[in-house]
Amino acid sequence: MGRKREQYNYNYEPDKVKAAQIEKQKAIMIAKIEQENIELDKSAKIEIIQANANFQLDIMKAKEQGFTRVIESLMEMMREWNLISEQRIVFLSSCKAETVEKINRQYLELMNDIDDSAFDFQINKQPQLFEKLEEFSGTESYETYKNSIEQYISNFLFEKSELLKSYRLQQELLVKSSLESFDVINNEITQLVTNRIDSLTLAINCDSTYQEVIESKQEKQKLILNDN
């Protein structure tokens, strides 16, 4: 007695298999990008804290030296830095992968430019200026040379602030077309940064211990000048 052969039809569709593979690879890439963004987010937040601490220290030093224009330049630079940093944190989690890549590439270029010039300025040029100032200590030329140093430092900081501002505008243009809620987000970031700068400024102005040191040094400097 013969057995009826059963026939099975296997519908093998290469396009569906390929599509599934592509979706799987896409999911892996998205997960990787999300993880990288989480790490970048943490790193960016740490950078903000460290940068603001450095700005506060520099502002206190400028107060000690009586460099009003330098303080104003540092405050403006700190504001631009915070705007860029906060924007970047939000944009990294809101934009498409290709936009995120461009933001990170441009940011790295900006940081390299600022770091190189700032390192040379702080390690080489600035110490030389203050060493020269010491040579004029107790003379009529002291204040004149001191003012020229303040103007030089202020100009340097202004250039860096303009560089940060230029980058911020580029970053905003890059994101604006791909982020529908850009204006709302940017307004929130601006308000956040404004509140932070106000708090940092208040903290600096209320630092009574440091203020006493500044006033003491200023009084000593006045006595030295009067004695001469």
Side-chain angles (χ1 to χ4, degrees):
M1 183 175 172
R3 299 179 63 183
K4 186 178 179 181
R5 173 179 284 183
E6 295 178 353
Q7 293 182 342
Y8 298 93
N9 291 322
Y10 293 92
N11 294 319
Y12 179 70
E13 299 182 30
D15 289 345
K16 285 188 177 180
V17 174
K18 187 175 181 181
Q21 291 175 340
I22 291 173
E23 285 301 316
K24 184 178 180 181
Q25 291 174 347
K26 183 179 177 182
I28 293 172
M29 288 179 65
I30 290 174
K32 182 180 179 182
I33 290 171
E34 288 177 346
Q35 182 59 39
E36 289 176 347
N37 285 346
I38 290 172
E39 293 172 2
L40 284 170
D41 181 273
K42 290 180 181 178
S43 176
K45 288 177 179 176
I46 292 172
E47 276 186 17
I48 291 175
I49 294 171
Q50 292 175 335
N52 283 327
N54 290 334
F55 275 120
Q56 283 181 287
L57 182 60
D58 287 340
I59 290 170
M60 287 178 175
K61 287 179 180 177
K63 285 180 69 175
E64 179 182 339
Q65 294 158 339
F67 286 172
T68 305
R69 284 170 290 182
V70 172
I71 293 172
E72 292 172 355
S73 298
L74 282 168
M75 293 295 294
E76 179 60 26
M77 189 173 177
M78 180 166 64
R79 181 178 180 277
E80 284 295 338
W81 179 278
N82 276 269
L83 284 172
I84 287 174
S85 300
E86 289 295 342
Q87 282 182 342
R88 183 165 169 257
I89 289 174
V90 175
F91 296 161
L92 289 177
S93 60
S94 306
C95 297
K96 297 178 181 178
E98 57 269 24
T99 304
V100 169
E101 184 180 351
K102 288 179 181 178
I103 289 173
N104 285 330
R105 185 173 64 250
Q106 291 180 359
Y107 182 79
L108 183 61
E109 291 173 357
L110 173 71
M111 291 303 99
N112 287 337
D113 188 353
I114 289 180
D115 286 346
D116 288 345
S117 57
F119 181 82
D120 178 61
F121 184 81
Q122 292 179 340
I123 300 300
N124 298 316
K125 294 180 181 177
Q126 191 166 279
Q128 291 174 3
L129 292 172
F130 283 103
E131 283 177 12
K132 186 69 175 177
L133 178 63
E134 288 301 314
E135 296 178 11
F136 292 101
S137 182
T139 69
E140 295 181 356
S141 300
Y142 181 87
E143 286 299 322
T144 301
Y145 190 72
K146 183 180 177 182
N147 289 335
S148 68
I149 291 177
E150 179 182 9
Q151 187 62 54
Y152 183 80
I153 295 174
S154 181
N155 289 343
F156 174 82
L157 294 171
F158 176 77
E159 289 176 5
K160 297 309 160 189
S161 293
E162 288 298 300
L163 185 62
L164 289 171
K165 184 177 180 180
S166 176
Y167 168 83
R168 177 171 60 81
L169 295 176
Q170 290 177 39
Q171 182 173 255
E172 289 176 1
L173 286 173
L174 185 63
V175 172
K176 198 168 186 178
S177 59
S178 62
L179 196 61
E180 293 180 1
S181 56
F182 172 82
D183 290 333
V184 174
I185 291 173
N186 212 34
N187 287 337
E188 291 176 352
I189 291 172
T190 301
Q191 188 58 53
L192 170 68
V193 169
T194 299
N195 293 340
R196 178 183 296 154
I197 298 300
D198 288 344
S199 296
L200 292 172
T201 303
L202 183 62
I204 293 169
N205 291 336
C206 291
D207 190 340
S208 57
T209 302
Y210 199 89
Q211 192 64 34
E212 288 174 4
V213 173
I214 292 172
E215 292 174 357
S216 175
K217 288 190 175 183
Q218 288 176 341
E219 285 299 318
K220 287 180 181 179
Q221 186 62 48
K222 287 180 181 178
L223 289 172
I224 292 173
L225 291 174
N226 290 334
D227 289 342
N228 288 277

